[in-house]
Every structure is written in C-alpha cells, then in structure tokens.
Amino acid sequence: MSGTPSSELHCTVLSRRETMTSTKLVFLFSVAVISLGTVRTAEADLPHVEISNWAIRFGAQMWEIGKQVTRIREIKERYQSEAKIEQVDGFAMVKEMAEEMENMMGDKIEAIKRIMDAAEQLSVSHPRLSRQDLYEMRQRAETIEYYNAKRLNMYHKSGPKAGELLDNHKELIMSNSQHFGNVGVNTSVSAVHVPTNVFDGGPDVMNGILWSEQLDRIFMTNYESDPSLTWQYFGSSTGFMRQYPATKWGQGEWEPDLFDCRLRPWYLQAAASPKDMIILVDTSGSMTGVRKEIAKHVVLTLLDTLSENDFINIYKFSEVPVPVVPCFKDKLVQANLENVRELRNGMMESETSDIANFTSAFTTAFEILAKYNRTTQGSQCNQAIMLVTDGAPVGYREIFEKYNWPHKPVRVFTYVIGREIIDTAATNWMACANKGYFARVTSLAEVREQVLKYIPVLSRPMVMYQKDHPVIWTSAYIDIAEPKLSDWLWEIRERRKQRDRSLNYRALLRLISERNNAQSDDTSNVTGNNTRDASGRPTISMTVEQYLTYGNLVNEERLNAHRIKQEREEAANPANNQQHNRQGKSVTSTTPNPVSSVPTKHPDGPRAEALVKPDTLKAWLKRIETRTKPKFLMAISVATPVYDRKNFSVRTANLLGVAGTDIPVTELKKRTPAYKLGVNGYSFIVNNNGFVLHHPDHRPLDADGLLKPNYNTVDLSEVELVDSDGGPRENDTYLMTMRREMIERREGETSFKVRVHHDGMRRVSVRRQRYYYRGLKGTPYSLGLALPDGYGHFRVVAETEVKRLMADHNINVSSFFSGKNWKIHPDWIYCRYNYDHLKSFDSPEAQVMHFVDRTQRERWRWNSKHPRPSHDSARSHKQDDNFYCDKHLMQSLIFDAQATEVFDKNISLSIDRQDPGLGMLMALLARHAMFKLFGISVAFVATRSGLLRWQDISTIDDKHFSEANLNAIDQTWYKRAVDQYSVEPDSFVYSVPFSTGTGITNESVVTASHAIFVEKGGYKAPAAVVGLQYKNSAFRETFFNITSGCTGGVQCRRTCSSGDLSCYVVDNHGYIVISKEERDTGRFFGEIDWLVMDSLIHYGVFKRVRIYDYQAVCKDMQGHRSAANFILTPLRYMKWFVQWMVGRATWLILQTQIAHLMNPDWAWAMEQEQADYHNEDNDESPGPTPTGGEFMADGDISIIVHDEAVTMDNAYANKTRPRPCDQQADLYVLQPEKLFKGDKPDSVKGKQNCNSNNLGARQCERHYSTHKIPHSNLLLLVIDTTCRCETQKQKIEMEEVRVNESLFCERPQENLYRLRPSVCLSYHPEEEEIKQCGKGSLQLPSLLLMTTTMIYSILKAI
C-alpha cells in the first residue's frame, strides 16, 4: 500500500501564527495575487481560523451531549468514592489459574482410568459368543438389544405406518442439555456408533457391544461425581464406539457417515506411540485402472491415521523413487494438516509406467529414516515403511540385512492391491521378517479395515508391558471434522454457486429480452446511484456480474456493507457460532452466503441499472443474514489405551480400544475468568508443538464459515504479532524465547510490543504487553496470560456484601435490577447449578436473579470453588447446595448494578455551575427530550462485571443494540475506549460501520464510547464504559450546522456547505465518519483521495502499520474448460470408447464376487467428479424467474442493459480451491502529538501541485487543512476543490505475501522448536514371539484377467 504518488505532491506544515490585523491581511493577500497570479497561497485560500473554530465547537458540543446523556459524572463519582484500586500480581494469577486447570484435568484423567480398569475386567469376565452361537440366535429369531445411535427416534413420515418407529429402530426419551451443547441426551444409558464400513453382526463387534454395555455404570458414576464431565466414550479396535450420554447420531443408518472412532486424534495417539513413516507407492505399468484407484485410497487412508506428533513422506516409484511433493525430497515432514494436505494433492495425479525398482525405493526409505534417527530428528520413536504394490518378484533380503537387521528398528507393512490371483509370498515375507503386517486389499470397500490393521501392531510393545497406560492429550480440534469433510463442504459450496449462477444467467437473458426494448430509450437518463427514473424511484448502478452472483439487482456497496457488518459481528462474537456436538449435527447447512465473496470476474463487463425499493432490498438482505453456516466447537481430548488381558493359546498382544473424554475449549476458558484478566487482557494455551489450543486471535473458520485447511496447527508465533520493522515471519527473540519456555512447560515472564488488530483486520493498535506463563502438570500444555502495560496491571475492586447491605440499610438487592433494560455477559459464570435437571432458566438474567434472591436468605453460603469429584450420589442430586457461585464476580455485579442505577432514570440532572453554556442547557432537559433533540437512538453503560444497561427510544437496526452487544466488554468499542483514555481522558471514541453510506437509507449509526477510570494513589484502572449511538443523519446535520457559518455570526465566504470546499471528519484509523457524500461514510479516506492521505502519512499525522495474517486462506481459481477441448478426431473418440468398454468389463469381473452378493451393505461410495450444475431435492427454490419473485416483482424493478453483449462465458463461475497462505495489509494509526504544539492544538496545512503535462493548461495548487477535533478520536480535514486535480485511490485490502521461488519449499513451521511426547513405547524384547503378521498366498494366474488387463494397459498407453 506504500508508494510514491504519480502526481508531484508538496506539503508544507505551517506553524500556528499570531492573529493578524485586517491591514496586514489585505496587504499579504495583494502580494500573493500579484506574485502568483492564478495560484493562491494556502493561507489566503482556506479559512484556517474558522476551520479550527469548527473543530473546537463540534468537539465541545458532542462531548457535552455525550456527557449528559450517559451520566458520566454521576457514575464516575460513585466508583471514585467507594471503589479501591488493587495491583495485579501476574505470577500469582497465572499460578492460581494453572492450579485450577490442573485440578480439573486431573479429575478427567481419573475418570478415564476408571473406564479403562472396568473395560479390561469386563472383557475378561464376559462369556464370549462364537460365530456359531450368533448363527443359532438368528435362526431362533433372537436379537441382541442395544441402543444404536443411528437407529434412535426415527419414524415413518407417511403411509399407513406414519408416526410409527422405523424397523429395527428404538425409541429413547431425551431432553436437551445445555451442558452437552443443547442436544437431546439421555443420561441413564449410553449409545453405540458403528461405522458404515463395519458389520455390527460380526462376532468380535457383537461381543464387544455386549460386554461394554456394563460400562454405563462407570459412565454414570463419573458424571454424578464430576458434573463438569462432558462426553465419555470407549472406542473399540473393532470399530464401534460406545458413548455416554446416549444421543441420536447426526446421520441416519442409510445416510453418508464418515465418522470412525479409530481415525480420531484421541484414538490414534493413545493406541500407539509417535511414528516416522515413509509410504512407497508402486507406479509401475501394472498399477493401472482399479489397482491405481485402490492404491490411492490406501495412501489417503494411511494419511488419515497420522497426528501432529508423527512425521511422514510419500514416494512414488517405478524406475526411480520420486516424492509426490517435490519440496519434501529427502526428508520427513510433520504430519500437520497443511503438510498432509500437500501430500494428498500430490497423490491426486500420478502416471504409471515402466517396471518397479524395489531396491531403489527401499534404499531411499531406509536411508531417510536412518538419517533422522541419527540426527535426533523426527519422532524418535516408531519407524515404519508402508509398501503399496500389486506384488514383488522377490523378498529383497539383502536390503533388509543391510539396513534393518538384526535390531529391526524399522517395521515394514505391505499392502498388496488387487483380487487377481498373484503370488504374495514375497510381500508377506517382507512384513513378517520385519515386525510388520501383510494385508491384501481387493476392493475399495476393504481399504479402511485393511489399512487400520497396522495400528494394533504398533501398539504391541505397549500392550506387552501391561502396567503402563500412557495418558495422551490431543491438540484442539473440531471433533466431527475431517479435512476431507471440509473440502467436501467447499466443493458443495462451489457447485451451488455454479448452479445459482446458471439459473441467474437464464433469468437475466429473459429479463433482457422482455424489458430491454422498453427501457432502452431511457438509458441516457440513468447516470448513477443517486438518479431517479420518471416515477421518482431511485436507480442503483450494478454490473451483470453482480446479478449473476447474487440473483438480484442490488447495489454493490450495500452488499459489501452487509458482508462487512456480518463479518464484524462474527469476529466479535465467535461463541455465538459454536455448538458442541460430537456427532456432526453441528453442520446444519452447507448453503453458502451469497455476500461472502465480492464479484471480481468481470469488473469492466456489461453494466445494468436497476430500480429497487428500499423495503425490497431490506427484505432480501434479511433473508441472506438468516442463512445458517456450519457451526463448530473446539475441544481437546484426554485418552488412554485399554488392553486385552485374556489368556490365549498362542503369544499375542491385543489392543481392546481406547477410553477417553472431551474437554471443550470453552471449559478451559472458564478457568481463566475474563473479569480477572481485565479489558484487553487475555489467556492462551500452547501445546508441545507450539500450537495454540485457544487464543483470541485464533480463527479456525474462514469468512464462509468453513474450516480452514490448517485450522488446528496455528503456531503461537502466528497469533502474537510483534511490533517490529522486519518482514513476514521474522521471529522476534523475546517471542521465540517465551515460546520455547512454554513448550518446555517452564514458569516465566517477559514483555514486548505487539500489534493487535480489530474489526476484521481493518484497525490496528500497538501496545506493550507483559506475559506470564506456567506449565500445566501432567499435560503437554502451558498456560499464558497477556496483560497490557499500565492499566492492565491494576483492577477496580468494588463489591457489595449482600448481608451487610441488608442489615445496615434494609435494602432489597433485587431492586438494583429493576426493569428489563439490562443484560449480563452470556458466557461468564456468575452462579449456576451443576446439573441441568436441577433447575432450568429462560435466560442468563433469570438465572442471576434466582441466585440474587438466594443470597438474601438466612442460610446462604457461597460455593466459590469449581465442583470437584464427589462419590456421594445423594449429594449430586440435592439442589440446595449443588451449585457454583463466583463470589467476587457476583458481588461486583451487584455493586455495578447499584452504581449504574441512575442510568435508568429519565430525569433532568442537577446543574453544574462550573459547566457553562450548552452543558447547563442540557442539564435542564429530560433525558428522552435530549434523545429526540440530538437524534440519539440508544445510550448505554457496560461495566467490568459484564453488566450492560441501556435506554433507547427507537430501534434502527432489525437487531437491537443489546442483542448485538451482549458480550459488551469484548466489543471493539469497549476496548478502543479504554485505550483512548491514555490519549485524551475527556473524550469519546467515534466509529461507524464500514462502508455504510449507500445513498439508499439513513439508518446507519455512529457509535460513541467513553471509558470511566477510577484514579487513586497515582494508579488508575477502568471500571466501565459509557456510550451512545446517534442516527447518522442527525450526526451529520449537527456537523454541517456548525460548519455552515462562522464564529460570531459573521457571513462566511467559504464554508463546508459551499461547493468549493470538501469537508471530511476522519477517525484515528483513517475511516470517514462524515462527508458531504453520504456514500463515503465508513470508507477508508485513501479510497477518496490517496494523495492527501499519503501526504498526511509523510508528515507523520498518520503512521503506517503493516499487519500480517498467517492464518489466511487464499482461493486458487480453477476456471472452466474451454469448448475447444472437445474438438477431437473420430479415432480419439473410438479409442476412448474401446478403453471404456474394456475397463468396465474388467471392473465387472473383479467385482462380481459371492461375498459381495451376500453382503450388499459392504459397499463403498467412490469419490468422483460431479456436474457443476445439478438439481437438489432439498432445494425448494427454483432460482430467479423473469419477474424475480419476491425480490423482483413488477413495479419494483426495471432493467437496462448497455450495448455490451451478455455471452455464455458470463454463466461460468470461477471455481476456487482453498489454500493456506500469508497475507498482509497496511493499516494506519493517528499520531495525535503531531497535531499539538506543546499542550495547545495545532493544525497541519498542505498543498498539492496540480500542474498538467499540457503547457497550455492552467497551473494551480490544491490546499488542505487538518485539525484535531477535541474530546474525540476524530480529525477535521478540509480540502479546497477549486483547483481540479487528478486523484489516486487506494483501498485497504489483504493481499498475499509473495515468496521468492528459491524459498518456496521452506515451510514456515519446519524449523521451529518442538518437544516430543514424553512417552515412547516402541520396543519389547519378547515381541518377536508374536507370529501374527497377515497371510499371503501362492496361486496360479487367471488367463482371462491377464488378457483383459493387458489390453486395458495397452489402450491406456496409446
């Protein structure tokens, strides 16, 4: 965004001068005219004195209005007289919070150990049913009853059985539980989930379901003793998962279900120690067709079994081994989401040719693994080579003797692809001779089960030690989320975008055909956004691209404004988009938000103008806003392995499964209460890899509500943006030292300056923060606290002791909460019952009032400790004392309610004799009268305890202020007001929604906020923030009333109302708050006149601050195929036809097997490309019609298309693919000291030379003057427009950080420090006694299959 303007720009900063006599002014003016001719000087051209007066008058008036309406003086006096200031001890705070968190996590460990012990005992004592027993039961029509999560509470919707349960389904009474994410649960039983690819009638699965049913007793005991427990589960190595409490699964029995507990992070990390893995994929000439497809799915499934503690690489080999990702040559990479995604993409396209060179492939793999073992890189635990091939001619004994024997540090697993009768003896020997396993994969349906057989093999050393049950902790993850699920949702979104665009294209052609002729004569009358047609309706300019994207003729700026508003609300209130559900119910919709991406395909394409009624536009925008997005909740899991302790006739070591429980990240945050951290303070947690579990700048979802490709591998160095002059990813010493010490779980403290962004990376603050951190015992995590320097280390202490207040003054505390104009922070815990069934409430306010009433009872006592496990079952169901209350927070809330009680009163205030003028007049007015007089829509106060009070007389937006600002202390206006206090204590921070000025409606608002600080003993701390919202039209009117005249009523020659002055009110980040053109409101000033903005930057009025987004998602365009690709020769078509016929015949021979005929449920849905345009049964909207339906009704819209043609190319959508990337943008911060000389306001004056290249053209200069508006964060900028200059425009936009090609392969996180898990169980001296390693075969070839395969290969090679 930086750069030198093309026009020559001269800016002169003129010092403030003494007032001149009228004689001197006349003299100077005459000299200027004589010497410069048509070029006027800055002093003579602009009324600088009056501009300064305008700024002072406007600032003073708005300060007086705000001060009176918000009751600043009364509220501050109450806090100042009764509150105390307490210094914060950061070390003591982080220690207290860490110990609280350690206790909670220790309780979860004890819970899963009880599940583990019970499971191991139950599996031994349970009588096993054989295959014959199960067969005989089926013959007797006997069934084994259990609650299948996919077969619960599903009924016939129509027909004679309407309302009855579906066959083989059960009914289970459930009630919604807020504790379990507002889903229906039954806490008396558990339910079983069986993956789609697992047969629940098999002996191993059925026996596991039977004995694990008795775990319900343990589940319920755990929950009764520890009410903070959420989902508890046992995941079996056979595939089923038993989960408590019982709940209905998100997908039915016959719906696609990707969930398999054995592929979840908690299972994979608990079942085996970390591993280094190299996958060798045979791409020789025989690996074509079906074999190639199966091999690809084997590799992709292997990638699904990895966690961030593993290291991986994939090599394709025929003549020579080649890495599927060239950047990963000769190394292993951490198996985080980003690297695994690269490997997946590398596997999508592979050519097969030549003969497989196994010697070269094995040599490469062994040498890489040996290098990492010697240099202490990688996992330093298990090592494995996974061979995916259709067969090997020999066993290559000499390779293994050289690199792996006798100690066999590397296990070898072989996957032989294809059902053809081939010799598998060699590949079987490779696995058995190297402590691995052999698996044969004959169809896509078998892939997952065969791949997962390697996990129990890696777990053998751990099982053989018996007594060691390692406890593992995962990173934060979306429990129901798969990377492929996120990709699938993205693909669905892109397809729907193409479908909608195709329908819009058809509708547009019909509209043009029907209306173009009738409207063509009026095209000359349609000039822009502010013109009107013959009937007086407003015309709105748009492009055809907009219509094809949105399906309605809507102004682009209004769409952008709605998109920005929605993004701001989501960024400020992410908790509202979260819902905890392990089963996938949280994916409520895949419908894309039409306003999530701005049209970019044809910026200069055909244009159209439309006539839209504001009511129609409002309804359409409301429809968009109500569309849902996928909702996710981050969680961590703690798990431990469960061993099979049964005695067998042969030596074995079997893993029964994994026991675990979830801890939502929101539960971790509750242990670091925000009111203790204070405004702009926050907590964060880092794991052993340096990844954050939670952080206020961790943004796992993109703007469309979909998971980012690397959502849970965000490093601490990517969210703490150090303030430095370096480039992207130039890590700061202080930050990296803190990161290393947190990874090592040390205790420490440090301080450095950071850049903190707000409002969707449109604003930035630079401040120094002090960090305190401490490791969490028994976990791989460390807790960190960040507190702003200065006010962040002091707290207001003001609490009301209920019993004393009642005894001394006989006051009912509930009276402080009278009326309905108040709310509390919805995410903070004031008081609550430990179990939902004890008592339910309609709102957080009702819950608080219930406990406020209870505090006034005689036997009331505070339960101020978070609940710990108690095995007294009678106590767990006793309502009177089974609750938790934060005593300090509740008493602070009561004090704040009493201190702000005056805010609710609609009375005039006592006159302050020291406050002359406007203040005295406003003090005489009733409050509602002031609201109406000055166009105020709402006034509010938000306190440190989470209390929000307000008064209003009208509602501007559909969403009331209180609903949009429930978590007021987290809102940007609250945080900015606190930061502003150190700049100018007696001031308001003003802001407007970005790009709200569209010329359509005046309903946008100006928000003003002011922080109330308590100051005692030289210390100060924030207690509350007061504020108000003005109607934008009234705010502008006040400004132009002041700037349309001169001081003392003197007639002015030039004012802001005259045509040759452009007046702007700009905030401290360069965004326009007031302009003559209302459409400019909310826009960055550089979009209007970059040359003037650059001048202000040059002279230090604004400082450029570059912000980086290391969590960005870039969208790579895929485009569409050209029709020319299909102009092919008849021979090419014939070749394709024969190749297709032979391939289908071969596939039919391979798939027609008796096993599949007997088990039709064992089917697998192949991933395949679908058409871009398709109809969906659940989509009731057929798309736009010629009249436009609700939003394009006759009389509401008329359309005019210019001469440019609308072609078929317009109908194609630019399909995209998400990709993690780094982005940057230049933001701007006001330097207020530049606008003062000493302690007095000063101005900055400048001029722009508008010389033209045309020698005969008139030469002139354009002048501007900038003044600080007192009592605010605003600037008054006045520009002389008499001299017409060419202007440049520059937006604030995030752009990708381009990396030099030589550095492209350098992974940002690869060289960062990490700590391996503390436990590694990869070796047991007696493991070689276990002989189970899979079975091979030596059979004769099939002439038919060999012939068809050969023909297919020849045709493929042509």
Side-chain angles (χ1 to χ4, degrees), residues 932-957:
K932 294 178 180 179
L933 180 62
F934 299 111
I936 299 169
S937 60
V938 63
F940 55 87
V941 57
T943 72
R944 74 222 154 93
S945 64
L947 176 67
L948 173 67
R949 290 188 186 272
W950 71 91
Q951 272 203 356
D952 57 355
I953 60 173
S954 65
T955 299
I956 292 179
D957 294 319

Side-chain angles (χ1 to χ4, degrees), residues 300-317:
L300 297 181
T301 306
L302 281 169
L303 292 177
D304 288 339
T305 65
L306 302 176
S307 72
E308 65 188 42
N309 291 320
D310 300 325
F311 288 78
I312 179 67
N313 204 348
I314 304 175
Y315 275 81
K316 301 180 292 186
F317 72 96

Side-chain angles (χ1 to χ4, degrees), residues 741-932:
E741 291 183 348
M742 291 189 71
I743 288 174
E744 295 174 348
R745 298 189 291 282
R746 299 183 190 177
E747 186 178 52
E749 173 190 9
T750 189
S751 175
F752 47 84
K753 292 180 71 174
V754 294
R755 299 172 181 176
V756 182
H757 60 83
H758 311 284
D759 290 335
M761 289 196 164
R762 294 179 180 86
R763 304 183 192 274
V764 64
S765 300
V766 179
R767 61 170 172 259
R768 178 170 292 276
Q769 296 188 154
R770 187 161 293 275
Y771 296 84
Y772 305 90
Y773 47 90
R774 177 188 173 96
L776 300 176
K777 297 177 183 177
T779 75
Y781 309 136
S782 281
L783 171 66
L785 305 181
L787 304 178
D789 264 2
Y791 65 81
H793 285 78
F794 299 94
R795 294 287 175 272
V796 171
V797 179
E799 300 180 15
T800 297
E801 295 186 19
V802 178
K803 294 291 181 65
R804 179 176 296 179
L805 185 66
M806 293 178 61
D808 295 346
H809 303 284
N810 194 26
I811 295 177
N812 183 357
V813 177
S814 301
S815 64
F816 301 151
F817 299 91
S818 60
K820 297 182 178 180
N821 285 11
W822 65 274
K823 288 186 181 293
I824 59 172
H825 199 297
D827 301 327
W828 290 7
I829 299 177
Y830 296 86
C831 288
R832 68 175 183 185
Y833 287 104
N834 293 329
Y835 296 94
D836 292 341
H837 67 269
L838 295 179
K839 192 170 182 63
S840 59
F841 301 94
D842 295 332
S843 66
E845 292 73 34
Q847 182 168 278
V848 162
M849 288 306 301
H850 169 80
F851 282 99
V852 167
D853 292 338
R854 286 197 62 176
T855 61
Q856 301 175 77
R857 299 177 186 174
E858 289 187 5
R859 295 187 177 182
W860 166 258
R861 64 181 180 85
W862 296 96
N863 288 343
S864 296
K865 294 289 185 181
H866 283 283
R868 296 294 305 278
S870 170
H871 297 285
D872 183 0
S873 59
R875 180 183 179 278
S876 66
H877 294 281
K878 188 177 179 181
Q879 176 174 331
D880 290 342
D881 61 352
N882 203 334
F883 63 86
Y884 164 77
C885 267
D886 190 320
K887 179 180 179 181
H888 296 295
L889 180 57
M890 278 292 288
Q891 292 189 159
S892 297
L893 176 68
I894 295 171
F895 179 90
D896 289 351
Q898 186 179 12
T900 59
E901 194 177 14
V902 65
F903 195 83
D904 280 341
K905 298 178 180 178
N906 182 33
I907 57 174
S908 60
L909 302 177
S910 59
I911 299 176
D912 186 354
R913 299 299 178 184
Q914 297 180 351
D915 191 10
L918 182 63
M920 294 182 61
L921 291 176
M922 288 190 293
L924 297 173
L925 294 174
R927 200 177 197 187
H928 281 180
M930 284 191 287
F931 275 44
K932 294 178 180 179

Side-chain angles (χ1 to χ4, degrees), residues 216-395:
D216 286 2
R217 174 175 50 85
I218 306 299
F219 290 146
M220 287 187 286
T221 301
N222 283 342
Y223 182 50
E224 288 175 354
S225 64
D226 183 3
S228 66
L229 271 173
T230 56
W231 305 102
Q232 304 172 67
Y233 40 83
F234 167 75
S236 171
S237 59
T238 60
F240 77 86
M241 180 183 73
R242 182 173 291 278
Q243 176 181 271
Y244 174 89
T247 188
K248 183 179 176 182
W249 202 256
Q251 291 81 29
E253 187 177 13
W254 306 109
E255 296 175 341
D257 179 20
L258 299 176
F259 187 91
D260 189 324
C261 69
R262 296 167 298 176
L263 294 177
R264 308 312 298 145
W266 51 267
Y267 186 97
L268 294 168
Q269 293 183 44
S273 296
K275 50 193 171 290
D276 298 336
M277 178 186 292
I278 292 184
I279 304 174
L280 301 176
V281 186
D282 184 354
T283 55
S284 61
S286 60
M287 290 288 290
T288 59
V290 178
R291 295 184 191 177
K292 180 180 176 181
E293 192 67 21
I294 295 175
K296 182 179 74 172
H297 280 78
V298 167
V299 174
L300 297 181
T301 306
L302 281 169
L303 292 177
D304 288 339
T305 65
L306 302 176
S307 72
E308 65 188 42
N309 291 320
D310 300 325
F311 288 78
I312 179 67
N313 204 348
I314 304 175
Y315 275 81
K316 301 180 292 186
F317 72 96
S318 51
E319 284 292 337
V320 293
V322 178
V324 296
V325 179
C327 290
F328 296 169
K329 185 178 181 180
D330 296 332
K331 61 182 177 181
L332 298 173
V333 295
Q334 189 179 16
N336 56 46
L337 288 182
E338 184 174 354
N339 289 334
V340 168
R341 188 183 187 84
E342 291 291 329
L343 293 168
R344 282 179 173 276
N345 293 338
M347 280 299 301
M348 289 300 103
E349 295 184 6
S350 59
E351 298 296 329
T352 56
S353 62
D354 301 325
I355 300 174
N357 186 340
F358 287 88
T359 301
S360 177
F362 275 121
T363 299
T364 299
F366 276 117
E367 288 180 350
I368 293 175
L369 292 173
K371 179 182 71 173
Y372 272 71
N373 193 24
R374 288 193 311 269
T375 58
T376 66
Q377 300 180 70
S379 69
Q380 291 295 297
C381 197
N382 287 299
Q383 291 192 322
I385 295 175
M386 324 300 281
L387 176 64
V388 183
T389 181
D390 59 352
V394 295

